């Protein structure tokens, strides 16, 4: 995989150039794209023009190529939202985060394949770790492009589990920042209380570097900051949804973290927090049925999404309001919990990537944490019984992204060490 | 003015038809649009086709024409966002609320003029109450179209004061619901923590009827529910920004409410709430600079907006995060306040509509209440010293829109009685 933070340092130290890195990405893409199908659209001509700029090396992203999930508007560049109706759609303006990437000196390498409107209908993207398996979704192409070493960084989004799950399946780092740390303006909305912009990179240090560069916030991790955290291993009534391989991986992570000096306290999830797990689909479905109301009424959706939204459209305002109240109480209770812990440890996915491309797998172990709006990181480095990757989810406190990333980096080092 | 709730009743009772109401609106528009300039685009052919549907009378909106601020996407209908760059922009899909209006049986009569990206640059729309005066902004055309009796209902948006202020200036009812009660999906974003979809109508009963029909929520007011509320007359350090006419109107409203049986308790605004007034521009500017980053970088904005966003872009993440925390504390404190009061009374605008079209007036007395996310209603019926309208702002508790509308309707009746 391409290491974003190291590549940026190499560019700044003149050990390589934005042009050379771009060429490496193009070559990697040429070799692998035929097997992986990560990209909906490439943007190579613009990238080639951009690397002519001598000032690029001094920018925060140092001219690194960034892949963008095709759920974000890109000015002048086809943006399909994974929908046949938008196959030839060319937006007039860039999504806010796309413009932030450009301002930070990143190159928009291309648009990565997404499930239809970032919901469930799979793409033809294959998992670079084993081509017969799904890369997960909905940010399928972004996770695969990083895992294949085509790009050092890629943007994704998560409404239920669409960053953490593909990161786990593909063996890359997925980072879902605090809700709205990165603006969603110019992304196709599915659920306005849930849609969250996230980032894929090789290691925790790479997504931290990328998010810091894009947002201008102090997120880049210095080695010295990675001190042993206080982890809570959080047990939920849904743990049985994780298979034996996922349980073994989580146990291995706990052992590694403990051996490296972290404290790991096993706790049962407070009932007020767990109650929000059932609230998440209510909110996602109610809002999705409104967000895509026009496409639904005009019959522009796949049968899979049509059937789903037909049922979603029956959710009443009272049930929705109740779900929002449940969510609010859970967020408050979760805030209290972080008085005692720096981060929580839990499953990033139910197990290894399932075989076949008919399903992108289940977000059942991610939903709650999306609704909580908390920063989450899928830490790579462990494998399941068949040799495919299994990520460990590190959940931090709302607004404490740096601390969360530092805890995730500690775990990553403990696992690899 | 056209009374939405009564017209819908008349249509259902077969005293009139959607076709006759449409014709009345078209006639009114033909007579006045040359003076008022409320509309960016008309959609009359589609309306004429729609009224042929016999089933329209039985729908929640009964086939009433609704004007839509040109900040909302409309499929196949030009949508400019008040920007020269988007003058020929035709979206592929309807904004969520536009589709909700259609589902409820409303006719999209046309798109009303908005200031550039719903910020400050004025349109050429004139105040129907006195053509030499501004109708306010940014929902200029929507307020004017209702005030002129062209349409019974119109959609607007408020980020600082863009529903309450034009409603006050034009002598119509403006209703800003609880934050996100009506989805913003498909509107051009300026500030994702502030942008709120609102509604204009002749009377409180009309906006309550309209919002209930559009959202499917129980908001329509029955006469029996309008019981005397417990009002707090809230004094703020910014009251001096309201002129003598506005103070006289607010005093008259208090006298009328008291005489009609309401309790009105004068209180000083708690300091934690007032602190959020200064936080609102920080949030609006920080987010606006990101939301319009692409248009800014590509120099697609007016000089007025360019200069504003240049300064807005200097706000750092720390100041923004601090403003968000201040806002959160203020919202909590405001919730406590509503244990004792059904609604707050305050100014809807600093006075009568200013003369001239060079400025849409000041949102200084609205900003705080937008940031609080609370339902707000501008109640019409009072006039200032020169005979132009002055609205009274009724602020309710977050999520308690029905109670807020009922309190506003009580005040409206007290004022007119």
């Amino acid at each position: 995989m391409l290491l974003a933070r190291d590549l940026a340092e190499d560019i700044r130290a003149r050990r390589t150039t934005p042009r050379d890195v771009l060429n490496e990405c193009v070559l990697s893409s040429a070799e692998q794209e035929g097997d992986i199908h990560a990209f909906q659209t490439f943007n190579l001509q613009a990238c080639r023009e951009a690397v002519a700029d001598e000032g690029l090396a001094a920018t925060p992203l140092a001219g690194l190529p960034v892949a963008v999930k095709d759920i974000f508007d890109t000015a002048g560049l086809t943006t399909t939202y994974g929908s046949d109706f938008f196959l030839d759609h060319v937006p007039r303006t860039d999504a806010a985060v796309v413009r932030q990437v450009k301002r930070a000196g990143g190159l928009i390498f291309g648009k990565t394949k997404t499930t239809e409107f970032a919901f469930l209908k799979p793409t033809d993207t294959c998992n670079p770790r084993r081509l017969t398996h799904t890369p997960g979704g909905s940010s399928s192409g972004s996770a695969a492009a990083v895992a294949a070493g085509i790009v050092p960084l890629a943007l994704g989004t998560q409404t239920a589990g669409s960053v953490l799950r593909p990161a786990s399946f593909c063996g890359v780092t997925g980072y879902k920042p605090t809700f709205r740390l990165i603006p969603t303006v110019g992304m196709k909305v599915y659920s306005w209380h849930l849609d969250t912009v996230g980032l894929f990179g090789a290691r925790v240090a790479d997504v931290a570097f990328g998010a810091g560069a894009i947002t201008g916030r102090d997120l880049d991790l210095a080695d010295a900051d990675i001190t042993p955290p206080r982890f809570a291993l959080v047990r939920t009534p849904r743990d049985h949804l994780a298979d034996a391989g996922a349980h073994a991986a989580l146990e291995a992570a706990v052992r590694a973290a403990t051996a490296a000096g972290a404290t790991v306290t096993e706790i049962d999830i407070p009932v007020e927090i767990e109650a929000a797990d059932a609230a998440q689909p209510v909110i996602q479905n109610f809002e999705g049925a409104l967000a895509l109301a026009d496409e639904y009424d005009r019959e522009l959706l796949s049968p899979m999404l049509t059937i789903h939204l037909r049922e979603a459209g029956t959710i009443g305002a009272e049930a929705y309001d109740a779900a929002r109240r449940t969510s609010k109480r859970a967020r408050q209770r979760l805030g209290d919990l972080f008085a005692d812990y720096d981060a929580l440890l839990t499953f990033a996915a139910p197990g290894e990537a399932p075989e076949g491309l008919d399903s992108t797998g289940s977000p059942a172990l991610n939903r709650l944490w999306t609704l909580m709006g908390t920063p989450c990181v899928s830490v790579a480095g462990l494998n399941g019984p068949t040799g495919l990757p299994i990520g460990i989810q590190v959940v931090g406190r709302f607004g404490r992204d740096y601390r969360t990333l530092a805890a995730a980096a500690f775990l990553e080092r403990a696992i690899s060490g």
Side-chain angles (χ1 to χ4, degrees), chain A residues 8-360:
Chain A
E9 274 188 6
D10 288 347
I11 290 170
R12 273 191 219 102
R14 300 189 178 273
R15 291 188 289 268
T16 184
T17 66
R19 180 175 280 116
D20 286 345
V21 174
L22 175 64
N23 287 341
E24 191 178 349
C25 294
V26 172
L27 205 66
S28 174
S29 163
E31 285 171 0
Q32 299 183 80
E33 177 63 10
D35 293 328
I36 294 172
H37 314 124
F39 284 86
Q40 184 70 36
T41 314
F42 288 99
N43 189 38
L44 301 184
Q45 186 55 35
C47 290
R48 289 201 181 94
E49 288 166 17
V51 293
D53 178 357
E54 294 286 336
L56 210 49
T59 61
L61 282 174
L64 292 184
V66 178
V68 176
K69 184 177 181 179
D70 202 24
I71 203 77
F72 293 102
D73 285 348
T74 41
L77 190 62
T78 305
T79 301
T80 71
Y81 313 133
S83 154
D84 288 346
F85 178 63
F86 287 95
L87 268 184
D88 60 350
H89 174 55
V90 181
R92 291 202 177 199
T93 48
D94 283 334
V97 64
V98 170
R99 180 49 61 174
Q100 286 182 299
V101 168
K102 291 181 179 176
R103 283 181 172 183
L107 310 182
I108 307 301
F109 187 78
K111 306 293 289 290
T112 56
K113 290 194 176 178
T114 170
T115 61
E116 184 190 22
F117 298 116
F119 191 61
L120 286 180
K121 187 173 163 247
T123 68
D124 62 350
T125 310
C126 299
N127 191 320
R129 304 299 175 204
R130 199 178 295 156
L131 295 176
T132 49
H133 288 237
T134 178
S138 62
S139 310
S140 315
S142 286
V146 170
I150 297 174
V151 288
L153 290 170
L155 295 177
T157 61
Q158 174 158 320
T159 304
S162 289
V163 169
L164 274 284
R165 177 164 99 267
S168 177
F169 287 174
C170 293
V172 303
T173 304
Y175 165 42
K176 178 186 79 69
T178 289
F179 188 64
R180 296 291 162 85
L181 191 82
I182 300 179
T184 56
V185 180
M187 78 169 267
K188 180 73 175 165
V189 176
Y190 194 96
S191 166
W192 53 91
H193 277 112
L194 293 165
D195 294 345
T196 310
V197 183
L199 210 57
F200 297 93
R203 306 160 306 181
V204 176
D206 298 311
V207 296
F209 158 76
I214 291 169
T215 63
R217 289 171 178 268
D218 292 329
L219 296 173
D220 192 35
L221 294 172
D223 278 356
D225 298 322
I226 304 174
T227 52
R230 301 165 300 162
F231 284 119
L233 175 66
V234 60
R235 296 299 188 189
T236 83
R238 289 163 292 110
D239 286 2
H240 68 276
L241 299 175
D243 66 19
H247 278 274
L250 187 54
E251 285 157 27
V254 168
R255 280 195 305 273
T258 308
T263 61
V264 182
T265 311
E266 190 169 331
I267 61 166
D268 287 325
I269 193 165
V271 287
E272 303 94 322
I273 301 173
E274 181 62 15
D277 186 67
Q280 192 277 348
V282 177
I283 292 169
Q284 176 171 348
N285 290 329
F286 182 90
E287 295 184 352
L290 284 172
L292 295 172
D294 188 59
E295 287 89 343
Y296 178 89
D297 286 1
R298 290 161 66 200
E299 302 182 2
L300 304 174
L301 304 171
S302 71
M304 181 189 268
L305 190 48
T306 301
I307 290 166
H308 182 81
L309 291 184
R310 186 175 303 145
E311 187 169 333
T314 65
I315 298 170
E318 278 183 31
Y320 171 71
D321 292 348
R324 293 269 299 137
R325 287 192 296 271
T326 300
S327 163
K328 191 179 174 186
R329 281 192 298 269
R331 281 188 178 207
Q332 285 167 341
R333 184 68 184 84
L334 185 57
D336 299 342
L337 200 63
F338 282 110
D340 299 321
Y341 308 105
D342 297 311
L344 314 182
L345 295 179
T346 186
F347 306 99
E352 294 171 277
E355 190 166 3
L357 304 183
D358 293 341
S359 159
T360 62

